[in-house]
Amino acid sequence: MDLREVGYDGRDWTNLAQDRDQWRAYVRTAMNLRVPLKAVKAFIIKSAVKKSDRIYKTVILPVVLYGCETWTTTLREEHRLRVSENKILRKIFGAKRDEVTGEWRKLHNTELHALYSSPDIIRNIKSRRLKWAEHVARIRESRDAYRVLVRRPEGKRPLGRPRRRWEDNIEMDLREVGYDGRDWINLAQDRLM
């Protein structure tokens, strides 16, 4: 049974709670129809989850991903980003009651991603990085961003393994997509990326 059968039109339930007379009318109607309290709670929780999901997509994600097009992410940083995203999603979707034991437990990562339909944070970063790479590859040679992209550093290199470059990340992202060519700058000129 759904609250729409009671006459609830889907408005924001927090605003509805402010109008006590209307709220009581809905509760009385639900009690007369013998709507299970579980259904009422489930409906309210579902609407709250939708709002939290919308807040995550419109407020939290843009703040976290600001400037991600230029990041040179390592596997460790990608892991940390995934962990923080899962923490936030667990707060949004809450715990799950185990059907067998009846105890509450945390959602597993696979269950989280099944509930959250959008791509994960790392795929989002990679797609933005590829869009930015295409843009940088197409701009004029006199622009600073292009000069930084194609420049070769002068002088002696420090000891140890070289740090991962932004261009290395682009090549790894393209390999994941299925492009194994190394001349991605010319590919971007044709706007095929």
Side-chain angles (χ1 to χ4, degrees), residues 161-176:
R161 186 186 72 186
R163 295 181 68 188
R164 184 183 283 181
R165 300 174 304 164
W166 181 75
E167 191 173 352
D168 298 334
N169 274 344
I170 297 299
E171 290 172 4
M172 286 174 50
D173 295 346
L174 285 171
R175 268 187 252 124
E176 283 182 21

Side-chain angles (χ1 to χ4, degrees), residues 88-148:
I88 294 168
L89 291 176
R90 277 194 183 91
K91 292 237 187 236
I92 290 172
F93 292 114
K96 181 180 180 182
R97 189 173 206 122
D98 195 356
E99 295 173 3
V100 178
T101 61
E103 295 177 357
W104 290 95
R105 65 172 177 84
K106 286 183 180 178
L107 290 170
H108 298 295
N109 291 346
T110 53
E111 294 170 329
L112 270 179
H113 294 295
L115 288 172
Y116 182 64
S117 58
S118 298
D120 70 338
I121 196 166
I122 303 303
R123 291 183 96 185
N124 206 332
I125 289 172
K126 289 180 179 184
S127 71
R128 288 181 182 201
R129 189 168 33 214
L130 288 174
K131 285 178 187 175
W132 179 249
E134 178 187 11
H135 173 71
V136 169
R138 283 189 282 111
I139 61 176
R140 288 176 278 149
E141 294 177 11
S142 62
R143 304 278 297 269
D144 290 337
Y146 186 82
R147 278 190 258 146
V148 168

Side-chain angles (χ1 to χ4, degrees), residues 18-58:
Q18 302 295 326
D19 185 7
R20 287 187 176 190
D21 296 331
Q22 196 170 8
W23 180 257
R24 286 180 181 155
Y26 282 129
V27 170
R28 259 187 259 112
T29 310
M31 290 172 74
N32 289 342
L33 291 175
R34 306 231 190 278
V35 176
L37 189 59
K38 275 186 181 179
V40 175
K41 283 183 181 177
F43 183 79
I44 290 172
I45 289 171
K46 243 185 224 178
S47 64
V49 165
K50 281 182 186 177
K51 283 186 183 212
S52 300
D53 184 35
R54 197 174 307 139
I55 289 171
Y56 175 71
K57 286 179 183 175
T58 58

Side-chain angles (χ1 to χ4, degrees), residues 66-106:
Y66 181 76
C68 70
E69 297 88 359
T70 60
W71 294 351
T72 56
T73 54
T74 60
L75 291 176
R76 184 180 198 178
E77 291 164 345
E78 288 179 5
H79 176 72
R80 286 180 176 173
L81 283 167
R82 275 195 186 103
V83 167
S84 64
E85 181 186 40
N86 287 343
K87 265 186 181 178
I88 294 168
L89 291 176
R90 277 194 183 91
K91 292 237 187 236
I92 290 172
F93 292 114
K96 181 180 180 182
R97 189 173 206 122
D98 195 356
E99 295 173 3
V100 178
T101 61
E103 295 177 357
W104 290 95
R105 65 172 177 84
K106 286 183 180 178

